[in-house]
Amino acid sequence: MTAPIPEVPPSDYRILVPRDWFRVDLTQQRWRGQLKTYVDKEFAGSTSAVVPRSVWVTLRNTAENGLARGALEFFLRTESPQGTAPAPATLLISWPPMPRGLAPTVEEFAEALGDRSSPECDVEVIDLPAGRTVCIRAAVTIDYHVRMPGDAGYLHLAFSMPLSGSEGPMASLFEAMAHSLRWVPGR
């Protein structure tokens, strides 16, 4: 009797993101310049230097904190026309480092995250096409922790929608984006 072949960790992932979202590759050293390009473009012609500077600092801090936790990509989209929004809707994709085989089960992870989340958060286990997932929904954020094949840990999709909130049309778009996640088979 032969043992089943273990799943192989994926070599990459694919996720559908709307074409008008600005992508920042956090795996490259030039990510600060990419963020600056986004802020400059969104606030071109702005009479205030304070708002663009504040947005730049917020986005830079988000990227730096994400990098400390395995961030790979940062997607940005202004929720209102002509760059008048003080903060964009964002998607930060991370793969926190975890030794293979040590990731908790989805149920254990949901329980641990539920214990650490505020009472206003809704924590649930859901099934996405990419696999079992812990979903955490708060007032202006939705986080998906997707269990990776081959016991390689969790891919984290952190969505933020500061203006529309997690119950509006942007939340429906984020849910569709999370459902589009697919794994590229490992070799």
Side-chain angles (χ1 to χ4, degrees):
M1 184 168 172
T2 60
I5 299 170
E7 287 187 37
V8 176
S11 63
D12 204 353
Y13 63 89
R14 299 283 182 258
I15 187 167
L16 296 176
V17 178
R19 203 175 291 206
D20 62 341
W21 284 57
F22 189 89
R23 179 181 181 265
V24 177
D25 183 351
L26 296 173
T27 64
Q28 304 294 319
Q29 290 296 318
R30 64 181 183 267
W31 67 265
R32 283 182 181 83
Q34 291 174 334
L35 275 182
K36 175 123 176 54
T37 299
Y38 171 81
V39 172
D40 289 348
K41 181 181 130 228
E42 290 301 314
F43 294 96
S46 175
T47 57
S48 169
V50 175
V51 173
R53 177 74 179 147
S54 173
V55 170
W56 156 250
V57 169
T58 299
L59 295 176
R60 184 202 63 214
N61 289 346
T62 300
E64 287 176 347
N65 288 335
L67 281 166
R69 293 174 179 83
L72 304 169
E73 296 181 283
F74 197 18
F75 292 91
L76 310 142
R77 181 181 186 278
T78 301
E79 287 191 76
S80 63
Q82 290 87 35
T84 57
T90 63
L91 164 58
L92 183 67
I93 301 175
S94 304
W95 181 25
M98 181 175 295
R100 186 168 179 211
L102 295 183
T105 66
V106 175
E107 291 74 16
E108 293 168 342
F109 199 39
E111 184 177 337
L113 291 173
D115 290 345
R116 288 187 272 165
S117 297
S118 69
E120 300 84 34
C121 292
D122 180 31
V123 179
E124 63 180 330
V125 174
I126 63 172
D127 289 312
L128 292 180
R132 303 272 294 154
T133 302
V134 179
C135 178
I136 304 169
R137 186 180 296 266
V140 295
T141 62
I142 303 174
D143 291 287
Y144 294 91
H145 299 270
V146 186
R147 177 96 174 178
M148 296 176 69
D151 210 11
Y154 287 85
L155 189 72
H156 182 198
L157 309 176
F159 294 98
S160 172
M161 57 228 92
L163 294 182
S164 60
S166 65
E167 298 300 324
M170 190 66 76
S172 296
L173 173 63
F174 289 169
E175 184 176 329
M177 290 165 67
H179 277 80
S180 77
L181 178 68
R182 299 293 188 271
W183 303 114
V184 175
R187 299 186 207 320

